[in-house]
């Protein structure tokens, strides 16, 4: 039985990624951030989200991508986790797409193994490959 789910998409470097829209709490513009000493290098800092401190993760660093060079501030995709909201810093916000489970594929062997371990699947959409993130794997951080 096929089931369709909605996915929120965003761009990092030249690739488009997606997470289940039910895991997204909100999307917010760039925020002032407070650095966290001795935190993992993936942790960019803390943002104040209406009085609640939210950890902001540099998704480029987590996915082992080159740092941003265009001078633009990253957008925040705030996701729900069991430990509370976490912000994923991304380059650009995309659309929400509905994808049927029959259209999901195993990540191809051409995807680097480190990145492939952070994906649940991929989908071909509008002539591009959409990479669906495994948020539990993304949240597993190495110590600083």
């Amino acid at each position: 039985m096929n089931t369709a789910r909605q996915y929120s998409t965003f761009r990092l470097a030249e690739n488009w990624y997606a997470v289940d829209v039910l895991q997204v709490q909100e999307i917010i513009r760039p925020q002032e951030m407070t650095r966290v000493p001795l935190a993992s290098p993936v942790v960019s800092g803390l943002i104040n989200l209406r009085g609640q401190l939210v950890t902001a993760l540099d998704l480029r660093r987590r996915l082992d991508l080159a740092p941003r060079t265009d001078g633009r501030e990253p957008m925040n995709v705030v996701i729900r986790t069991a430990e509370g909201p976490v912000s994923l810093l991304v380059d650009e916000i995309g659309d929400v797409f509905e994808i049927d489970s029959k259209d999901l594929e195993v990540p191809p062997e051409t995807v680097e193994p480190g990145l492939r371990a952070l994906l649940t699947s991929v989908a071909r959409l509008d002539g591009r490959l959409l990479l669906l993130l495994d948020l539990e794997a993304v949240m597993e951080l190495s110590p600083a």
Side-chain angles (χ1 to χ4, degrees), residues 3-8 20-23 96-101 104:
T3 57
R5 298 180 95 162
Q6 290 186 321
Y7 293 89
S8 180
D20 189 323
V21 76
L22 295 177
Q23 294 177 287
V96 172
F97 292 102
E98 187 168 293
I99 302 173
D100 197 291
S101 61
L104 299 176

Side-chain angles (χ1 to χ4, degrees), residues 7-114:
Y7 293 89
S8 180
T9 64
F10 51 85
R11 184 182 59 78
L12 282 167
E14 69 276 356
N15 292 323
W16 285 89
Y17 297 85
V19 294
D20 189 323
V21 76
L22 295 177
Q23 294 177 287
V24 177
Q25 176 176 313
E26 61 189 293
I27 294 172
I28 55 177
R29 62 180 170 72
Q31 299 289 307
E32 186 175 324
M33 212 169 300
T34 302
R35 293 262 172 227
V36 180
L38 306 176
S40 165
V42 173
V43 175
S44 287
L46 298 172
I47 61 173
N48 185 338
L49 184 62
R50 296 180 294 279
Q52 182 178 22
L53 293 179
V54 174
T55 303
L57 301 182
D58 184 341
L59 202 49
R60 273 182 172 258
R61 188 169 283 204
R62 180 67 180 104
L63 300 181
D64 212 17
L65 301 172
R68 241 171 243 99
T69 58
D70 60 7
R72 294 182 359 188
E73 295 284 326
M75 295 292 292
N76 292 273
V77 177
V78 181
I79 59 167
R80 297 179 184 95
T81 72
E83 290 79 35
V86 174
S87 173
L88 302 177
L89 302 177
V90 304
D91 296 349
E92 179 182 349
I93 302 300
D95 293 321
V96 172
F97 292 102
E98 187 168 293
I99 302 173
D100 197 291
S101 61
K102 70 175 176 41
D103 296 325
L104 299 176
E105 303 172 21
V106 174
E109 293 294 322
T110 54
V111 175
E112 290 191 28

